[in-house]
Amino acid sequence: MNALQIKKGANKHSAYNLRPTFSDAVEQHTLAVLVDNEAGVLARVIGLFSGRGYNIDSLTVAEVDRSGHLSRITIVTRGTPQVIEQIKAQLGRIVPVHTVNDLTVEGPSVERELALIKVTSEGEKRVEALRLADIFRAKVVDSTLSSFVFELTGTPDKIDAFADLMRPIGLSEVARTGVAALRRGED
């Protein structure tokens, strides 16, 4: 009997583990990309996604440092772990990109989104809309005799839940900012 009887993939801690380590599970990731604030940068970043058939669930862009001419692009996307790693690597190769952070895997983060939701209804449905808005801590920012516009801040799931409850009452229009996210803690 040979003293070194190693079977391929016999132990997940083995250096000879030849089992595939990739996953087919599609995951949602939030990426924070710090870029130069100059014309065409957003188009190049978005072109990377569209050129490879990747979808963007949410996109938020704003200048974060005037003196340094830097903007932050927050992208929520879905893909297998291999696709997400590929996206991060390709983003990092674009010249005006300074940093790419995957907030989903780098530890706890805070994600918020702002939505304006217009509900058109009459009578008892208006009362129900106000009652639900109070539960979700939505503010009435405009009111007419036939409609309300609510302002709601929270996680994307909270906004989705509010919109779903308003649909049967008379949801007529929704505007969302997209996700803004930061890592929690000191950094």
Side-chain angles (χ1 to χ4, degrees):
M1 185 149 152
N2 187 348
L4 209 75
Q5 291 185 357
I6 299 173
K7 297 179 184 174
K8 285 186 182 178
N11 181 344
K12 69 179 183 175
H13 300 292
S14 168
Y16 299 97
N17 183 3
L18 301 177
R19 284 187 224 147
T21 56
F22 56 86
S23 169
D24 289 335
V26 175
E27 304 169 345
Q28 180 173 299
H29 284 254
T30 302
L31 306 176
V33 185
L34 194 62
V35 299
D36 288 336
N37 186 14
E38 59 187 39
V41 174
L42 180 60
R44 290 169 71 183
V45 169
I46 300 315
L48 181 143
F49 280 81
S50 65
R52 288 160 182 79
Y54 304 144
N55 189 41
I56 296 174
D57 294 336
S58 173
L59 176 70
T60 307
V61 184
E63 185 177 52
V64 293
D65 182 1
R66 279 186 201 257
S67 62
H69 302 291
L70 296 175
S71 288
R72 181 184 175 104
I73 302 173
T74 305
I75 303 167
V76 178
T77 189
R78 293 177 189 272
T80 63
Q82 296 73 34
V83 167
I84 299 297
E85 288 303 317
Q86 185 178 26
I87 289 170
K88 292 189 307 191
Q90 290 169 348
L91 282 170
R93 284 194 286 264
I94 297 175
V95 172
V97 171
H98 293 274
T99 61
V100 178
N101 294 307
D102 187 346
L103 299 179
T104 305
V105 298
E106 292 180 7
S109 63
V110 177
E111 293 186 0
R112 290 294 181 267
E113 185 173 9
L114 173 81
L116 295 175
I117 298 173
K118 184 176 187 178
V119 178
T120 305
S121 59
E122 294 178 356
E124 198 59 38
K125 287 187 175 185
R126 285 176 62 83
V127 175
E128 181 66 10
L130 288 171
R131 190 183 68 75
L132 288 170
D134 187 49
I135 291 169
F136 279 83
R137 295 186 180 146
K139 293 189 325 189
V140 177
V141 292
D142 184 60
S143 178
T144 67
L145 293 175
S146 61
S147 70
F148 291 113
V149 175
F150 297 105
E151 177 187 299
L152 180 64
T153 305
T155 63
D157 290 339
K158 177 182 178 180
I159 293 170
D160 289 341
F162 184 72
D164 288 343
L165 288 171
M166 289 297 175
R167 247 179 214 92
I169 295 173
L171 177 72
S172 60
E173 208 171 338
V174 177
R176 296 173 78 152
T177 60
V179 173
L182 289 174
R183 273 190 304 225
R184 290 188 66 207
E186 296 176 28
D187 240 338

